[in-house]
Amino acid sequence: MAEPKLHILAVAGSTSARSVTRTVITHAVGQFRAAGCAVDVLDLAASPLPLFNTDTTYTADYYAALRQRVSQADVLVLGTPDYHGSISSSLKNFLDHFWQEFTGKLFVTIVASHDKGLTVSDQLRTVARQCYGWSLPYAVCFADKEDVKDGEIISDSFRKRLAMMVRDARVYGELLARQRRADLAGADHCFMARLRPKS
């Protein structure tokens, strides 16, 4: 029996019309699709989310459809600019909407930064860990004008790093997705057991 396609949710967390983060996300999406993955793109500039509110969000009109998109994903590719050493407010707002939906899934980080984006990457790994997800052990960080210009990737080294990230996200994403499905369907005592449907 053929394994289901790997589902990628790529989130562009920049609200800028000329976002280099979106440029890199678009390139990565093309590579994932060329490799046979099913890819869903959430552009937070084109589809901004209301501010997360624990009192109203879960019953808001948009929430169920968004939750379905997140739940279907095996891998979350999160792109953000580096703002004061932190993630963009639009991406943080997206992440605040969920937690169990991230459990057991792979987080992949893409950061536009002039300062290596280390703290931003660490924050996204912390989110993954706090939501019981996994993350690649490295991030893809880049600087505009050095690595990306006029909608194109101009750095060979960055192009290779992005291709490496796409490959690793596919390989490890598929391993984790397979195990996540087995754990949800099985009877073993494991962490994912808490998300099994109640019988």
Side-chain angles (χ1 to χ4, degrees), residues 24-40:
V24 175
I25 287 281
T26 299
H27 279 268
V29 163
Q31 293 181 37
F32 280 121
R33 285 179 173 150
C37 301
V39 186
D40 181 10

Side-chain angles (χ1 to χ4, degrees), residues 179 182-194 196:
Q179 189 61 52
D183 287 348
L184 287 172
D188 290 349
H189 178 62
C190 61
F191 186 83
M192 292 301 299
R194 68 184 60 202
R196 288 174 186 153

Side-chain angles (χ1 to χ4, degrees), residues 169-185:
R170 286 192 303 103
V171 170
Y172 294 102
E174 287 171 357
L175 289 171
L176 289 170
R178 187 179 309 122
Q179 189 61 52
R180 187 176 192 276
R181 288 191 298 272
D183 287 348
L184 287 172

